[in-house]
Amino acid sequence: MFGLKTLGQFIIEKQSDFPYAKGELSRLLRDIGIAAKIVNREVNKAGLMDILGKAGSTNIQGEQQQKLDVYANDQFISALSSGGECCIVASEENDEIIRIDSAVSKGAKYIVAIDPLDGSSNIDVNVPIGTIFSIYRRKNLEVPASLADVLQNGTEQVAAGYIIYGSSTMLVYTTGKGVNGFTLDPSIGEFCLSHPDMKTPETGTIYSINEGNYVHFPQGVKKYIKYCQVEDKQTQRPYTSRYIGSMVADLHRNLLKGGIFIYPATASAPNGKLRLVYECNPMAFIIEQAGGKATNGESRILELQVTELHQRSQIFIGSRCMVETAERFMLEAGKLSFADIPALTI
Ligand code: P6P
């Protein structure tokens, strides 16, 4: 046990990183950690009890809600409501923002945007799934919190993270001072620091994209995929194709090993499928803090204008050199005029 550092101990230790925090952000991260442990317990025994399958309802995306989706959503909202530090929750599972007006949340300063159980269509087939969260401070404490506090650019995030419910359960987060990963030790029910100061390799040999949509991809994406498949020893190509269909799982693997994940425009998702507020922005914050890059093929994800709660975006995210190479193909194919793409780093 010597040298073991729990999430709680780590958060308190790092509290001095925040100029204005008097423990609120620390308590907020603690509340998220608690909900993650409760959700993890249900995810791990999902096959043993009637929590699998469809909840018989659909969310605003028109997607079938899984029972575990709804359960996870309820757990995170409940933990955030009773923790007292959060005044609004914006969830993939709810059409509108959820205002938290409980007595303990009076004067709460933080907003949490969350995808409570991303990749949930994989639940029934035992494929890793995840929770993604993004935390903002209210823009003006003098006026009631509102949707405007949620529709902030990704650069305004004060923290972001994900939980991956896989062969082990990990919580990975950043507050803008690097990325740290914690693995749940079920024997003591604590997330313990296992991946301090995570950095993603500058380049890699894994590309992650649903090639079933190939015919509908933008020309630049098609050309990039072909580039990945060309034999070239010097650049270790052909690359390896790895696509789980669970964003958190694909991005976690690529964060550790190096790689690029692309969800571009497709016929069924002309603006991309993934949601900017509670999927792209938090993952972009994390990957940038780990030394990687995240764009929509031409602009930095974190600087995209956020206009709607469930807004979608294309995303090219992962190792910096791979994202820049993919951007170059988008530039050449689309004749886009952004000249700041560094020389092709093949
Ligand atoms: P497709 C899961 O539904 C999700 O939102 C992400 O976790 C995942 O990366 C993506 O959609 C998979 O989408 O269209 O390839 O099945």
Side-chain angles (χ1 to χ4, degrees), residues 192-236:
C192 301
L193 183 63
S194 54
H195 296 67
D197 195 22
M198 296 171 80
K199 292 293 177 202
T200 195
E202 209 170 41
T203 193
T205 58
I206 295 172
Y207 70 103
S208 308
I209 187 168
N210 183 345
E211 294 191 52
N213 297 316
Y214 182 86
V215 288
H216 301 300
F217 284 157
Q219 201 54 27
V221 172
K222 290 182 178 178
K223 289 191 183 302
Y224 180 67
I225 290 172
K226 291 307 164 203
Y227 165 82
C228 293
Q229 295 168 345
V230 163
E231 186 102 38
D232 177 275
K233 295 235 178 319
Q234 191 201 351
T235 55
Q236 296 179 283

Side-chain angles (χ1 to χ4, degrees), residues 63 92 115 117-122 130 132 209-211 213 243-251 261 263 266 268 273-275 279 312:
E63 292 167 344
E92 186 209 31
D115 183 354
L117 212 54
D118 178 74
S120 53
S121 54
N122 293 300
I132 309 171
I209 187 168
N210 183 345
E211 294 191 52
N213 297 316
Y243 191 73
I244 299 172
S246 179
M247 183 187 197
V248 171
D250 278 315
L251 264 65
F261 172 97
Y263 207 110
T266 65
S268 56
K273 174 183 182 184
L274 301 176
R275 276 58 60 125
E279 290 173 331
R312 298 176 191 267

Side-chain angles (χ1 to χ4, degrees), residues 107-292:
K109 300 184 179 68
Y110 292 96
I111 311 293
V112 177
I114 192 163
D115 183 354
L117 212 54
D118 178 74
S120 53
S121 54
N122 293 300
I123 292 173
D124 295 1
V125 293
N126 219 358
V127 163
I129 49 184
T131 296
I132 309 171
F133 63 89
S134 170
I135 301 176
Y136 292 91
R137 274 174 70 85
R138 281 165 61 181
K139 293 199 296 188
N140 179 350
L141 298 179
E142 303 307 314
V143 300
S146 69
L147 178 62
D149 291 302
V150 180
L151 304 184
Q152 298 186 54
N153 281 17
T155 48
E156 299 303 307
Q157 293 175 94
V158 293
Y162 61 82
I163 297 103
I164 177 168
Y165 309 97
S167 47
S168 65
T169 295
M170 278 191 70
L171 186 150
V172 174
Y173 84 95
T174 183
T175 57
K177 307 268 183 187
V179 180
N180 291 283
F182 300 78
T183 300
L184 183 64
D185 179 340
S187 68
I188 56 172
E190 290 284 2
F191 281 106
C192 301
L193 183 63
S194 54
H195 296 67
D197 195 22
M198 296 171 80
K199 292 293 177 202
T200 195
E202 209 170 41
T203 193
T205 58
I206 295 172
Y207 70 103
S208 308
I209 187 168
N210 183 345
E211 294 191 52
N213 297 316
Y214 182 86
V215 288
H216 301 300
F217 284 157
Q219 201 54 27
V221 172
K222 290 182 178 178
K223 289 191 183 302
Y224 180 67
I225 290 172
K226 291 307 164 203
Y227 165 82
C228 293
Q229 295 168 345
V230 163
E231 186 102 38
D232 177 275
K233 295 235 178 319
Q234 191 201 351
T235 55
Q236 296 179 283
R237 286 178 290 149
Y239 293 153
T240 297
S241 172
R242 286 284 183 273
Y243 191 73
I244 299 172
S246 179
M247 183 187 197
V248 171
D250 278 315
L251 264 65
H252 182 69
R253 178 204 53 239
N254 291 1
L255 171 61
L256 294 174
K257 296 186 169 217
I260 184 171
F261 172 97
I262 302 175
Y263 207 110
T266 65
S268 56
N271 296 316
K273 174 183 182 184
L274 301 176
R275 276 58 60 125
L276 181 57
V277 171
Y278 40 77
E279 290 173 331
C280 298
N281 267 335
M283 296 312 264
F285 188 17
I286 293 164
I287 203 72
E288 285 197 0
Q289 283 290 310

